[in-house]
Amino acid sequence: MKILHTADWHIGKVLHKHLLRDELLLFFDWLLDLLEKEQIDLLLVSGDIFDLSNPAVKDRQIYYQFLAKLIQLNIQIIITGGNHDAVGLLNAPQSILQELNITVIGGAKKIIEEELIAIKNKKGDIELIVAAVPFLRDKDLRSIDIDAQFNNRTEAIREGIKTHYATLADICELNYPKIPTIAMGHLFAKGAETSESERDIHIGNAASVDSSIFPDTYDYVALGHIHRPQIINKNNFIRYSGSPIALSFSEKKDNKSLILLTLENNKISTPQVIPIPKFRSLTKFTGSLKKVKDDLSKFKPDFPLKSFVEIEINESTFSAVTLASVDDLVTQYGEGESFTILKARTNFTEKAIDTAALFSEGEHIEDLKAIDVFNKMMEHQSVDEEHQSMLKQAFVEIMESVTQSED
Ligand SMILES: [Mn+2]
């Protein structure tokens, strides 16, 4: 039996006003091919299917269209809810999807046994148990009992998560001894390396759990929530598959992947990392205006989709001209062929304006006209003559419109 672990699709994710939709569609096509080629029997999706709890109609459509294609492959699918997902929304089509071999566990079950899914082989014998644990919300974890034992909310949550996994492991031991088990989860495991796109889970991520909370009886732990693919605590069998596409600039260097597991002779083999092709690159250029300009002129990314670029300009002294040039740069590459600048930031290391240097002794800003202060500023920043007259005219126009609107 072959099992594939993925998570954090975040359908509908927007990065600086740009939808990360096309890369996800390319990923879905690629995944369909992979599932067929590798003859996968079971697909596990560990939470954060959608980016928002109330996804756009188009994003729901993308989800169902993809599920429809999966059904044709005749594989078994288990989908759990993440912290971004609305439990009710994921669960709504539960019964119809179940008929199509897709199990959806949007939120924690009142009867915990219902989170255990028995996977049968072609002969009809149970070959694997999956503890399909979704993101556990505070209300799922905190009982009056547990709360009474802990004076601290974080501790109570941590204990609740631990108990949840331990209870499921005990039930497996009792009812399905000797059958391999996989636990799914959507949580923050201690030691995981985060990026900028995960939303805090319980109270500022303070309730990270130690991987020791997963009893040894689980043969593999398929985690979601952290977007960078990684193993936890040097244990090859506790893993975050990571998101299939980069969801923030901090993930620009990640090699996105899926995890392939093979179950043979009652044993899960060493997980195999399957790299996902990069459909769009996210790139950041940092440095002086000149350097960034240079980098951009040489930048010729070659990916199926237009690359997204972030620029960070670092200059020493404040200059309105620099700011204007950065704006021009963004416009210039706005409809670029191979990339778009999504975000631009300019930093000036020196103190913006040394106001004391602007005025001669005994002179106070209150005594001057606005245009005089403006002229002093231009002088202070050594604006060239050509720009001086342009800026002065613009300033006068702005001042006029401001004074007029005051009337
Ligand atoms: Mn996520």
Side-chain angles (χ1 to χ4, degrees), residues 294-311:
D294 239 41
D295 288 345
L296 288 175
S297 69
K298 285 184 212 138
F299 186 51
K300 302 271 183 288
D302 185 18
F303 293 95
L305 302 171
K306 218 186 245 194
S307 295
F308 287 154
V309 170
E310 180 182 9
I311 57 174

Side-chain angles (χ1 to χ4, degrees), residues 125-310:
D125 306 322
I126 295 177
E127 208 171 301
L128 172 75
I129 301 293
V130 177
V133 182
F135 168 59
L136 300 172
R137 292 180 155 74
D138 290 20
K139 66 169 175 47
D140 306 325
L141 296 170
R142 297 166 68 206
S143 63
I144 297 163
D145 265 22
I146 288 184
D147 269 11
Q149 294 168 36
F150 298 90
N151 11 8
N152 167 318
R153 190 169 155 228
T154 316
E155 277 308 310
I157 288 170
R158 227 173 249 156
E159 194 57 26
I161 296 174
K162 187 178 170 185
T163 308
H164 197 98
Y165 281 95
T167 308
L168 287 171
D170 288 347
I171 300 170
C172 286
E173 280 284 275
L174 197 69
N175 295 345
Y176 311 98
K178 296 197 182 107
I179 296 192
T181 44
I182 290 179
M184 294 171 79
H186 194 91
L187 47 79
F188 183 23
K190 213 174 264 169
E193 197 190 333
T194 60
S195 54
E196 280 165 12
S197 54
E198 297 104 4
R199 191 189 292 160
D200 281 2
I201 227 157
H202 310 277
I203 30 170
N205 274 347
S208 61
V209 296
D210 199 281
S211 60
S212 64
I213 64 139
F214 302 115
D216 288 345
T217 51
Y218 293 124
D219 297 274
Y220 180 78
V221 182
L223 294 175
H225 181 55
I226 305 294
H227 298 157
R228 190 158 284 162
Q230 56 197 293
I231 62 172
I232 293 301
N233 247 348
K234 296 181 182 148
N235 185 336
N236 245 324
F237 294 86
I238 304 178
R239 279 177 181 267
Y240 283 101
S241 64
S243 58
I245 59 165
L247 298 165
S248 69
F249 277 100
S250 64
E251 293 160 56
K252 58 188 183 292
K253 287 194 177 137
D254 289 8
N255 293 313
K256 298 301 187 182
S257 56
L258 301 169
I259 309 300
L260 174 66
L261 307 164
T262 309
L263 175 60
E264 234 171 358
N265 305 323
N266 230 20
K267 205 174 171 299
I268 289 174
S269 62
T270 307
Q272 198 187 329
V273 176
I274 311 262
I276 300 170
K278 198 177 263 202
F279 303 109
R280 186 198 300 282
S281 78
L282 298 185
T283 310
K284 185 175 177 178
F285 293 110
T286 317
S288 65
L289 179 62
K290 190 183 168 306
K291 182 187 174 287
V292 171
K293 249 185 185 167
D294 239 41
D295 288 345
L296 288 175
S297 69
K298 285 184 212 138
F299 186 51
K300 302 271 183 288
D302 185 18
F303 293 95
L305 302 171
K306 218 186 245 194
S307 295
F308 287 154
V309 170
E310 180 182 9

Side-chain angles (χ1 to χ4, degrees), residues 8 10 48 83-84 186 198 225 227:
D8 295 275
H10 286 265
D48 281 358
N83 57 316
H84 282 246
H186 194 91
E198 297 104 4
H225 181 55
H227 298 157

